[in-house]
């Protein structure tokens, strides 16, 4: 039996639901999370954890645990393009292994001035960590094989009906229903979200885009290919992309020891229901260009060609986030990462409202901040999908002739530029901004322009705080508090903020950084950082601190 009442009920335990449970649970909020599946993801799913997501995992204390997952520590995370994986290599973007990433990040400047670099690892491994961490929190209850089937607003609460699911039969249990009363309900229930549909919220944007590749019905084959690294004459890569006229595919390495997931687009005559395990194996062999043994572990289908964002991110005491609120084509690796940032954003706000440290109006800023980011990020993903999927192989691409060689050289130049654009995206990961939000106090300065491949560190309120490494080896972000932080970088002592925060029962950590570099980076004596590590305000001394804090916590 589930508890009959809780503060927050989360329907769905993918990355968004689990991360939200963590953000709430660590702040002492009572949470019940139900998921209709038997456990966390079985198939690998997403493979790219962006640097900003890694910085949030670091804030929560488990970035190193995540970085140790997936590929071996010395396995390069290169992105490589081939005609077929065992045939001609067309282009390669060299990217660091996880041990190199940890070393490199300490000396990078400019666009990659960061506490963490991206990590390449299957979502199924990450979900296991999020689940274990969330379950360890005293107020968090997680139950699988239970689905949210309906809900209704009931005054200042929500009444949700949860049903047991017989996963053996993939059926809803008969009569095993329970009502859970909650202060807030969150739909973390993925693309077919029951919560979004019951609220009558539609997705807007584009769907059903057709491309030669990543625009149509996709077939995923999770397989072990024991001889791959012995038989293939190229250096190992994390992301393997093949480009020929018979079978286009991308195939990330899952463990660096022979497990992969191949994603290919089904042709008009191919129907998933009629494809056998042997057919799936043959698809993998066609992509490799060699008849290596393929042990098929699982198969799945998904659709590429969506760039969808929900018209609203909730109603009253009900919110949606993650895939329930936006659906991506996975080029650029942004769906799960956008979901994680939704959870980070909603988590501190819900906790602050439930604990009376903020007014309910603060929750309006969730949609104000996250919806434009979802539109932005689905737009970037679509551009990458167009660039990858609309570029088509010419007939002679595999020929051992001068024409074939010329075609491969041309394709290689194209993929070199495409790969750098899709996989070197500090501007997307660090440059998301919340300008115009009521939970940000602008200072009249202009934010740097939005650009996928360049990030300009800026403490202009509404964006990620500029990062720097301290002499003792710590990241500046490691000094930030669990909730609010006041960075003192110059002469001003910030007493007005300290007093106002005390009066409003706001947990404010004071961090003194008397360094010229930091003062120059932040261009002010004081910077106020929100619990989700966003610059809320910056300036020199102010007498209006009380008013600013009231506004930032939904009272203004
Ligand atoms: C091939 C592929 C590759 C991808 N690669 C990347 C990548 O590299 N990087 C990236 O960022 N993203 C990637 N994505 C996208 C990423 O997988 C999703 O964006 C991410 O899983 C969304 O997380 P979520 O928690 O919102 O939803 P989901 O992961 O879909 O989780 C929803 C959960 O809700 C449960 N549920 C559904 N209905 C109910 C209900 N009524 N009651 C209870 N539980 C319910 C489901 O069982 C499920 O566990 C990829 C996607 C695909 C298909």
């Amino acid at each position: 039996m589930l508890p009959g009442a809780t503060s927050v009920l989360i329907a769905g335990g993918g990355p968004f639901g689990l991360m939200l449970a963590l953000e709430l649970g660590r702040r002492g909020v009572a949470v019940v999370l139900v998921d209709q599946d038997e456990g966390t993801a079985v198939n690998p799913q997403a493979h790219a954890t962006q640097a900003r997501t890694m910085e949030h995992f670091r804030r929560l204390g488990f970035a190193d645990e995540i970085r140790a997952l997936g590929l071996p520590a010395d396995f390069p995370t290169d992105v490589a393009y081939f005609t077929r994986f065992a045939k001609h290599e067309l282009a390669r973007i060299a990217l660091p292994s996880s041990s190199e990433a940890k070393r490199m990040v300490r000396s990078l400047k400019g666009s990659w001035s960061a506490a963490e670099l991206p990590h390449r690892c299957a979502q199924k491994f990450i979900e296991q960590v999020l689940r274990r961490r969330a379950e360890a929190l005293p107020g968090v209850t997680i139950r699988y094989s239970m689905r949210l089937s309906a809900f209704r607003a009931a005054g200042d609460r929500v009444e949700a009906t949860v049903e047991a699911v017989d996963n053996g039969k993939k059926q809803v249990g008969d009569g095993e229903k329970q009502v859970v009363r909650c202060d807030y309900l969150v739909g973390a229930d993925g693309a077919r979200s029951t919560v979004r549909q019951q609220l009558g919220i539609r997705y807007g944007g584009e769907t059903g885009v057709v491309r030669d590749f990543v625009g149509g019905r996709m077939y995923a084959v999770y397989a072990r290919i024991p001889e791959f690294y012995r038989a293939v004459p190229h250096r190992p890569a994390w992301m393997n992309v093949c480009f020929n006229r018979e079978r286009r595919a991308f195939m990330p390495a899952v463990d660096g020891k022979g497990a992969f997931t191949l994603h290919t687009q089904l042709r008009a005559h191919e129907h998933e229901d009629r494809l056998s395990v042997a057919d799936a194996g043959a698809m993998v062999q066609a992509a490799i260009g060699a008849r290596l043994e393929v042990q098929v572990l699982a198969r799945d289908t998904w659709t590429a060609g969506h760039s969808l964002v929900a018209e609203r991110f909730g109603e009253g005491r009900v919110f949606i986030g993650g895939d329930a609120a936006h659906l991506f084509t996975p080029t650029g690796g942004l769906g799960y990462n956008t979901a994680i940032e939704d959870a980070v954003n909603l988590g501190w706000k819900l906790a602050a409202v439930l604990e009376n440290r903020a007014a309910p109006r603060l929750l309006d800023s969730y949609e104000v901040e996250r919806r434009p980011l979802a539109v932005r990020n689905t737009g970037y993903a679509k551009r990458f999908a167009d660039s990858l999927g609309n570029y088509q192989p010419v007939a002679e691409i595999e020929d051992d002739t001068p024409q074939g060689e010329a075609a491969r050289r041309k394709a290689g130049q194209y993929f070199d530029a495409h790969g750098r654009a899709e996989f070197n995206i500090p501007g997307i990961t660090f440059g998301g901004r919340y300008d115009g939000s009521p939970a940000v106090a602008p200072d009249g300065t202009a934010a740097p322009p939005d650009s996928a491949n360049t990030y300009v560190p800026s403490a202009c309120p509404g964006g990620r705080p500029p990062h720097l490494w301290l002499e003792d080896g710590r990241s500046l972000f490691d000094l930030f508090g669990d909730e609010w932080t006041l960075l003192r970088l110059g002469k001003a002592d910030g007493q007005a903020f300290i007093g106002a925060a005390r009066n409003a029962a706001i947990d404010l950590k004071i961090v003194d950084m008397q360094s010229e570099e930091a003062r120059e980076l932040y261009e002010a004596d004081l910077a106020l950082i929100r619990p989700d590590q966003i610059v809320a305000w910056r300036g020199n001394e102010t007498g209006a601190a009380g008013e600013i804090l009231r506004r930032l916590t939904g009272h203004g």
Side-chain angles (χ1 to χ4, degrees):
M1 282 290 276
L2 289 171
T6 187
S7 296
V8 181
L9 175 66
I10 302 174
F16 172 62
L18 290 170
M19 187 71 171
L20 182 63
L22 264 168
E23 291 285 6
L24 292 167
R26 67 190 277 272
R27 294 183 164 97
V29 174
V31 174
V32 171
L33 183 154
V34 291
D35 193 292
Q36 64 187 14
D37 280 350
E38 281 172 303
T40 50
V42 177
N43 291 335
Q45 302 209 69
H47 284 267
T49 297
Q50 304 298 352
R52 182 63 169 156
T53 300
M54 286 301 291
E55 286 184 344
H56 285 303
F57 292 161
R58 182 185 181 105
R59 175 174 56 82
L60 298 179
F62 54 82
D64 284 348
E65 188 182 349
I66 296 282
R67 204 172 285 284
L69 298 174
L71 302 168
D74 59 352
F75 195 94
T77 60
D78 294 5
V79 177
Y81 299 85
F82 307 90
T83 51
R84 301 179 195 244
F85 306 134
K87 301 286 185 183
H88 301 279
E89 182 169 314
L90 301 170
R92 177 178 289 261
I93 321 294
L95 290 166
S97 67
S98 57
S99 58
E100 282 165 348
K102 280 187 75 162
R103 260 197 321 273
M104 271 172 69
V105 71
R106 294 180 169 270
S107 57
L108 296 177
K109 303 257 182 254
S111 279
W112 281 111
S113 173
E116 295 285 343
L117 291 184
H119 182 55
R120 314 302 183 182
C121 162
Q123 179 178 330
K124 70 173 197 164
F125 299 131
I126 291 169
E127 286 189 10
Q128 289 163 10
V129 173
L130 298 181
R131 172 185 176 177
R132 187 164 29 78
R133 296 257 169 188
E135 274 177 333
L137 295 167
V140 176
T141 304
I142 298 184
R143 291 280 186 278
Y144 289 93
S145 299
M146 303 211 83
R147 72 183 290 272
L148 172 97
S149 54
F151 60 89
R152 67 179 193 92
D156 59 358
R157 307 212 88 189
V158 180
E159 278 182 6
T161 306
V162 175
E163 301 179 11
V165 179
D166 181 345
N167 269 308
K169 298 186 202 137
K170 290 272 176 210
Q171 275 177 9
V172 173
D174 348 306
E176 278 185 67
K177 287 189 183 173
Q178 198 188 327
V179 171
V180 179
R181 287 176 189 79
C182 51
D183 295 310
Y184 292 96
L185 168 68
V186 182
D189 45 354
R192 295 193 180 87
S193 173
T194 302
V195 176
R196 187 189 67 247
Q197 291 181 40
Q198 202 191 305
L199 288 176
I201 299 175
R202 286 178 311 180
Y203 275 142
E206 223 178 45
T207 189
V209 174
V210 177
R211 302 183 187 95
D212 189 55
F213 185 50
V214 290
R217 291 172 307 131
M218 300 291 294
Y219 197 59
V221 184
Y222 179 26
R224 186 161 287 287
I225 313 167
E227 292 302 314
F228 188 90
Y229 294 112
R230 270 186 290 275
V232 166
H234 305 291
R235 272 180 296 139
W238 155 65
M239 178 62 80
N240 306 279
V241 185
C242 70
F243 183 68
N244 62 68
R245 285 166 70 90
E246 182 198 4
R247 176 70 53 209
R248 293 184 68 174
F250 65 90
M251 190 174 86
V254 175
D255 61 0
K257 296 175 187 144
F260 297 89
T261 330
L262 177 114
H263 297 273
T264 189
Q265 188 158 322
L266 294 178
R267 302 275 185 213
H269 66 276
E270 290 172 327
H271 295 281
E272 56 263 37
D273 304 343
R274 285 183 238 141
L275 290 171
S276 63
V277 168
D279 294 331
M283 284 179 179
V284 179
Q285 288 173 335
I288 301 171
R291 291 183 62 79
L292 301 184
E293 182 197 352
V294 175
Q295 300 161 1
V296 175
L297 305 173
R299 295 175 290 153
D300 207 352
T301 52
W302 56 280
T303 305
H306 302 303
S307 329
L308 295 172
V309 178
E311 288 165 341
R312 290 173 291 130
F313 276 26
E315 189 176 298
R317 292 177 164 268
V318 183
F319 295 92
I320 55 173
D323 276 12
H326 38 70
L327 206 50
F328 287 69
T329 295
T331 33
L334 298 171
Y336 126 74
N337 290 281
T338 306
I340 291 286
E341 288 198 59
D342 290 346
V344 171
N345 190 291
L346 185 58
W348 75 267
K349 293 174 181 173
L350 272 177
V353 169
L354 282 161
E355 289 161 8
N356 289 321
R357 286 181 283 108
R361 218 162 60 182
L362 175 65
L363 296 172
D364 296 346
S365 69
Y366 168 62
E367 177 180 314
V368 170
E369 295 183 348
R370 293 306 301 164
R371 194 176 177 283
L373 258 289
V375 171
R376 165 193 189 258
N377 291 359
T378 49
Y380 276 129
K382 178 187 149 49
R383 270 177 255 166
F384 298 141
D386 286 343
S387 164
L388 179 69
N390 289 336
Y391 184 65
Q392 298 191 21
V394 294
E396 56 273 26
I397 187 87
E398 298 191 84
D399 292 355
D400 282 325
T401 58
Q403 290 83 352
E405 226 168 84
R408 288 190 289 278
R409 209 170 24 249
K410 199 167 162 210
Q413 284 162 356
Y414 184 87
F415 285 122
D416 185 70
H418 167 85
R420 283 173 208 288
E422 185 186 345
F423 292 96
N424 179 27
I425 51 171
I428 298 181
T429 188
F430 297 139
R433 298 191 51 83
Y434 300 148
D435 297 313
S437 164
V440 170
D443 66 355
T445 57
D450 190 16
S451 146
N453 306 114
T454 314
Y455 160 72
V456 179
S458 164
C460 173
R464 167 183 174 270
H467 178 266
L468 54 88
W469 290 101
L470 310 179
E471 271 171 20
D472 64 7
R474 282 180 300 170
S475 153
L476 170 63
F477 293 178
D478 297 343
L479 305 189
F480 291 173
D482 286 342
E483 296 296 327
W484 295 78
T485 304
L486 184 67
L487 264 179
R488 293 199 293 206
L489 305 149
K491 291 198 193 82
D493 66 7
Q495 280 310 321
F497 269 108
I498 296 168
R502 197 181 312 115
N503 292 341
I506 287 173
D507 178 356
L508 180 69
K509 182 176 177 191
I510 315 300
V511 173
D512 285 313
M513 274 291 302
Q514 299 299 323
S515 99
E516 241 174 70
E517 188 188 359
R519 177 67 181 71
E520 272 173 29
L521 209 48
Y522 280 77
E523 298 176 302
D525 277 359
L526 300 169
L528 184 67
I529 315 294
R530 300 193 329 193
D532 53 352
Q533 296 193 346
I534 291 290
V535 180
W537 170 90
R538 76 171 163 180
N540 299 319
E541 199 49 89
T542 175
E547 207 180 294
I548 291 168
L549 276 185
R550 281 179 58 74
R551 175 191 161 150
L552 294 175
T553 51
H555 293 284

